Amino acid sequence: MEKIFASLITIGDELLIGQTIDTNSAWMAQQLNDAGIWVQRRVAVGDDRQAIIRALEEEGADSHIILITGGLGPTADDITKPVLCEYFGGKMVQNAGALQNVMDIVQTRGLPMLERNLEQAMVPDAATIIQNKRGTAPGMWFEKNGRIYVSMPGVPHEMKGMMEGYVIPHLRQRFTMPALLHHTLITSGQGESSVAERIKDFEAALPAHMKLAYLPSYGLLKLRLTTFAPDQAAAEADMNKAFSELGTLLADIRVADRDEPMGVILGSLLKTRGLRLGTAESCTGGKIASMVTAVPGSSAWFNGSVVSYANETKMNVLGVRAATLEQYGAVSEETVKEMAAGALEVLRADCVIAVSGIMGPDGGSPEKPVGTVWIAVGGKNSLRTRRYHFRYDRERNTDMTCIAAMNELRKWLEN
Amino acid sequence: MEKIFASLITIGDELLIGQTIDTNSAWMAQQLNDAGIWVQRRVAVGDDRQAIIRALEEEGADSHIILITGGLGPTADDITKPVLCEYFGGKMVQNAGALQNVMDIVQTRGLPMLERNLEQAMVPDAATIIQNKRGTAPGMWFEKNGRIYVSMPGVPHEMKGMMEGYVIPHLRQRFTMPALLHHTLITSGQGESSVAERIKDFEAALPAHMKLAYLPSYGLLKLRLTTFAPDQAAAEADMNKAFSELGTLLADIRVADRDEPMGVILGSLLKTRGLRLGTAESCTGGKIASMVTAVPGSSAWFNGSVVSYANETKMNVLGVRAATLEQYGAVSEETVKEMAAGALEVLRADCVIAVSGIMGPDGGSPEKPVGTVWIAVGGKNSLRTRRYHFRYDRERNTDMTCIAAMNELRKWLEN
């Protein structure tokens, strides 16, 4: 069974100077994996002719499929199209479909039609054109020496439209793929080394076509099993057997049987139990609510949040007592309990997450250093509190707090 | 003036199957750029011996500096260290400093000392060791054929500690760098093509060592100027001249003179004017508050937010009238105005952002399709409202709404 290999080439100086975080590649890799295609390399290069040509050559040497994003915009720094035309031979021609698309978009948006917009419809005649329903730059499908090269815009939703509507379906037609499966168990409460120790016999006994990976992630540990097999049924049989064995070995620290965001995990627990959630957030500033509402349909189990950043807001909206804040401080078990009680009432919620902490860089003290967090979770008659101490920067302290707090509620719900 | 080139190699299957978004590379690229080092390529490969060796060879061919992250953990899928030992020659030896560090960490965390933890202190004798103050895996500095290779853990805060504490200072000592400057102007209200048209003479007249890039970003457009010069003073003189010319040309659509997050831009306006902000968020679910509180020191100008996801919360906490919700719906100018008024009062804020919309995938109707958003910004006596219609997926609709709403408040503050 031959594996089908892909490379991703991302073009744009913004990726090399750190101005943009590349989120496209992860999404594209997921799509390719779902189709049974193994991404073996991802390369980012600048808007530079030589660098682009070198990448095309190197990636074409070993990969069946080379997906390229970026550098197709209407401005002078975008050079991908002429470089591809040079590399694959031929000349630039006007594409009628792309022209119509540009004219439609310009008209819908009420923009003037500029010469540089018309140039968006000029394409290499060596390419099969992929129409862009979400923007002016068309995609291009090239073939050379038995390799497939596809060039798409770097704008995420334009690229996604082309991938889903054209690229993935056409790749599925062209290749007979092996089945490629990933399955992830999320655990919490034990470190990478200890877990590895517990399952070392299991790991040693895995067949050669299966792979186990350990991914520490914001205080959780994800264990990912990967398998290749000639067909879907065989892959699933292998996976089910190994995955259930792993799940049994680690049942006591299991969080979820899939790599789902914590919001999704909480959501399905809340839905099953018919409970509605509210949050009272100080140091996390609404990030827990934002993670919760990122889940489609969360309105079925989420009422809202009071982001009580200022002490005044803690008092006015959540009813935290001035005396509590004075005596124990905003970051204390007492305050977080009153925040939770207030949120349960004002948000008419069945259960609650309340957090208060010091995320840094400033605001720490010897008794309450930066990274100190109090978390309360539960319902009206069964509030649980816990103190954490994170030792990272502001951003990571916040993210760790969000996951820890949501995980505390998960434990409360599962008990 | 010779440019100093770097390559980044990221190792780990999780990057190739789309399980992890690579945020390290952007951060590392920023640090290198600040030091005058140009990152010319970023490559991600799997936990695979051959793939790692190929990357070391290819990147070593053209770059002076090769920074490697990932694959240094204590589990069987982590193979970077033995592969590096093989590639650079020599043998594995125990490093006393690294051993002490492992023992300290295991003790502090109250963990059992496992064989695999001790192995973390085994390092190739060809390497200079970089002690890891934040984890058990040491970093390694190799030199070969005049190239420098540095291997660091993939865990972001461990990598960051080594970069700041050791790698960047040592690279600065080793090379005489040219000055490399980036400066970004943020604009809003005009598309890439139109802006390019307005400044085409400016762009054509830029000297060869300067580069202009266009980065559309969530409804904003960022214009980045880059310059190289033998020394900092010359680079700054070039940059100041060109950047002020650009700023003058685009003064009417200028948002900011730096690539700062919108929260930082708003924060400095609010601080200058002595105003405190509150937000009332329905569809954005707390994300605006979360972006605002990501700014260190935001407690000086941010009171909090009411995330009124459920209609009940809009009524109970913000005082939106049932009749308004019934007559106009939750996504309407009338509702968002009452949300804003309620938030101003309950959060004791001087100014407010209120949003209500339909982010999708469900919830749309012919009159109010998915992507419809009402935004209100302003203060007690001067509320401004505006309707937007975004045409993306749930996540992007939310992000576009957050930036648009914050930008509306910015405009209100600047008038």
Side-chain angles (χ1 to χ4, degrees), chain A residues 260-274:
Chain A
E260 290 174 325
M262 197 53 104
V264 173
I265 297 168
L266 274 187
S268 74
L269 284 170
L270 290 164
K271 241 159 94 176
T272 311
R273 284 158 180 70

Side-chain angles (χ1 to χ4, degrees), chain A residues 20-296:
Chain A
T20 303
I21 289 174
D22 175 16
T23 56
N24 279 350
S25 294
W27 187 90
M28 293 168 78
Q30 283 171 9
Q31 301 295 310
L32 290 165
N33 271 263
D34 285 347
I37 299 163
W38 184 260
V39 178
Q40 60 176 343
R41 280 167 58 94
R42 283 171 30 186
V43 181
V45 298
D47 299 300
D48 176 274
R49 179 184 161 278
Q50 250 183 300
I52 296 171
I53 289 177
R54 173 181 164 190
L56 292 169
E57 260 160 21
E58 284 179 355
E59 301 315 311
D62 269 3
S63 290
H64 304 90
I65 300 159
I66 298 94
L67 301 187
I68 306 150
T69 55
L72 298 183
T75 53
D77 54 324
D78 296 305
I79 63 166
T80 300
K81 204 159 60 176
V83 172
L84 291 175
C85 188
E86 172 193 345
Y87 186 74
F88 292 105
K91 59 181 194 303
M92 299 290 277
V93 294
Q94 196 174 63
N95 180 273
L99 182 64
Q100 188 59 50
N101 186 44
V102 169
M103 294 199 299
D104 289 349
I105 287 178
V106 165
Q107 201 180 2
T108 310
R109 299 187 186 165
L111 301 170
M113 174 58 91
L114 304 169
E115 178 62 28
R116 67 177 75 236
N117 294 130
L118 291 175
E119 274 163 27
Q120 294 281 72
M122 295 297 293
V123 296
D125 60 358
T128 303
I129 296 312
I130 307 172
Q131 296 303 341
N132 184 352
K133 293 178 183 128
R134 301 174 178 181
T136 53
M140 293 163 278
W141 177 294
F142 298 92
E143 308 208 5
K144 186 176 180 177
N145 305 329
R147 306 307 198 197
I148 291 171
Y149 301 76
V150 186
S151 161
M152 290 171 278
V155 182
H157 71 287
E158 297 182 23
M159 174 279 289
K160 289 179 185 176
M162 288 188 194
M163 284 287 283
E164 290 174 335
Y166 190 101
V167 179
I168 294 289
H170 280 76
L171 291 176
R172 281 188 193 272
Q173 278 173 20
R174 280 293 278 280
F175 296 96
T176 310
M177 325 276 197
L180 168 57
L181 285 184
H182 304 289
H183 215 104
T184 297
L185 180 77
I186 306 182
T187 67
S188 91
Q190 266 177 3
E192 200 175 353
S193 296
S194 309
V195 172
E197 209 59 32
R198 287 179 61 177
I199 59 173
K200 67 181 170 195
D201 295 341
F202 165 82
E203 192 168 359
L206 277 178
H209 62 281
M210 297 195 77
K211 218 170 161 176
L212 178 68
Y214 295 77
L215 298 172
S217 173
Y218 296 107
L220 306 175
L221 177 66
K222 300 181 179 181
L223 294 153
R224 187 189 63 234
L225 275 172
T226 299
T227 188
F228 265 104
D231 63 88
Q232 191 70 16
E236 280 174 12
D238 279 354
M239 180 58 82
N240 290 345
K241 183 172 170 297
F243 196 79
S244 90
E245 208 176 314
L246 183 65
T248 307
L249 285 169
L250 301 177
D252 56 314
I253 55 170
R254 171 198 165 281
V255 170
D257 287 339
R258 292 182 187 216
D259 191 8
E260 290 174 325
M262 197 53 104
V264 173
I265 297 168
L266 274 187
S268 74
L269 284 170
L270 290 164
K271 241 159 94 176
T272 311
R273 284 158 180 70
L275 298 175
R276 298 189 64 88
L277 172 68
T279 70
E281 307 184 45
S282 183
C283 60
T284 49
K287 201 161 196 170
I288 296 173
S290 161
M291 290 164 83
V292 157
T293 55
V295 183

Side-chain angles (χ1 to χ4, degrees), chain A residues 13 19 44 224 293 394, chain B residues 19 42 211 224 293 394:
Chain A
D13 286 351
Q19 191 162 28
R224 187 189 63 234
T293 55
R394 181 181 183 85
Chain B
Q19 192 163 27
R42 283 170 30 186
K211 218 170 159 175
R224 186 189 64 233
T293 54
R394 183 180 181 86

